[in-house]
């Protein structure tokens, strides 16, 4: 669906998303159909993240599987942002492709936003160069605004609505 200047697509990380699957073909067709003159921004969402540095080793296998299946598709169709949950924490990457940070806007930025209610995660984060901001200490929410040239992504701390992280792509 389109919301103002943003095209949003939700896919299932719990069903087959591998190349050739019904979901992958549907996702590819949707991304092909985006008119970037009307909706210059694409946000993809799923329950599980493609990138996370939290110490949940079993889930890293799932994320790697998702990256192998979807990252090139996201790159080909210039998906700007991927939002996920699953973890009860907040984490934001750089614009990342194949595990490497690239110039902002040249690849997808991945954000885990799971800080809105359930008890927060207790495990630590591993060190990866693509992980730019992590939080499992305060509750918060994501605020996104977009115009024709920039998308602003803010993590807002719930108590006193203090802005904790901001990035513009």
């Amino acid at each position: 669906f389109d919301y103002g200047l943003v095209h949003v697509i939700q896919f299932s990380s719990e069903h087959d998303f591998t190349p050739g699957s019904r979901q992958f073909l549907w996702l590819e067709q949707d991304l092909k159909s985006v008119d970037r003159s009307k909706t210059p921004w694409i946000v993809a969402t799923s329950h599980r993240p493609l990138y996370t540095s939290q110490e949940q080793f079993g889930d890293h296998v799932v994320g790697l599987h998702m990256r192998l299946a979807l990252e090139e598709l996201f790159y080909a169709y210039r998906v700007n942002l991927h939002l996920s949950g699953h973890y009860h924490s907040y984490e934001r990457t750089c614009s990342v492709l194949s595990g490497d940070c690239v110039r902002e806007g040249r690849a997808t930025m991945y954000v885990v936003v799971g800080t809105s209610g359930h008890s927060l995660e207790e495990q630590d984060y591993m060190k990866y160069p693509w992980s730019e901001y992590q939080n499992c200490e305060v509750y918060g929410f994501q605020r996104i605004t977009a115009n024709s040239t920039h998308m602003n992504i803010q993590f807002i701390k719930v108590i006193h609505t203090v802005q904790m992280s901001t990035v513009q792509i």
Side-chain angles (χ1 to χ4, degrees), residues 98-149:
S98 300
D100 294 317
C101 292
V102 298
R103 197 170 79 190
E104 293 296 336
R106 298 289 182 201
T108 306
M109 179 178 292
Y110 297 87
V111 179
V112 176
V113 188
T115 52
S116 63
H118 192 278
S119 59
L120 298 174
E121 301 287 349
E122 294 182 5
Q123 71 274 10
D124 288 329
Y125 291 92
M126 296 178 283
K127 303 295 182 214
Y128 287 102
W130 43 258
S131 181
E132 291 193 332
Y133 183 84
Q134 308 94 12
N135 167 69
C136 57
E137 298 170 359
V138 298
Y139 292 98
F141 62 92
Q142 188 78 47
R143 180 173 27 207
I144 300 171
T145 57
N147 62 33
S148 62
T149 60

Side-chain angles (χ1 to χ4, degrees), residues 3 6 41 43 81 83 111 113 141-146 150-156:
Y3 184 78
V6 181
W41 303 101
V43 176
L81 178 65
L83 298 173
V111 179
V113 188
F141 62 92
Q142 188 78 47
R143 180 173 27 207
I144 300 171
T145 57
H150 293 90
M151 176 180 280
N152 291 299
I153 303 162
Q154 299 173 318
F155 174 62
I156 307 297

Side-chain angles (χ1 to χ4, degrees), residues 56-125:
Q56 293 282 349
F57 298 105
D59 284 337
H60 281 269
V61 174
V62 175
L64 178 59
H65 184 67
M66 291 177 71
R67 288 196 302 272
L68 291 172
L70 298 169
E71 193 169 32
E72 287 297 322
L73 181 70
F74 287 1
Y75 181 72
Y77 291 101
R78 299 179 297 137
V79 172
N80 305 98
L81 178 65
H82 176 264
L83 298 173
S84 65
H86 189 64
Y87 291 96
H88 301 160
S89 60
Y90 180 90
E91 183 171 19
R92 175 177 48 81
T93 72
C94 59
S95 290
V96 61
L97 181 63
S98 300
D100 294 317
C101 292
V102 298
R103 197 170 79 190
E104 293 296 336
R106 298 289 182 201
T108 306
M109 179 178 292
Y110 297 87
V111 179
V112 176
V113 188
T115 52
S116 63
H118 192 278
S119 59
L120 298 174
E121 301 287 349
E122 294 182 5
Q123 71 274 10
D124 288 329
Y125 291 92

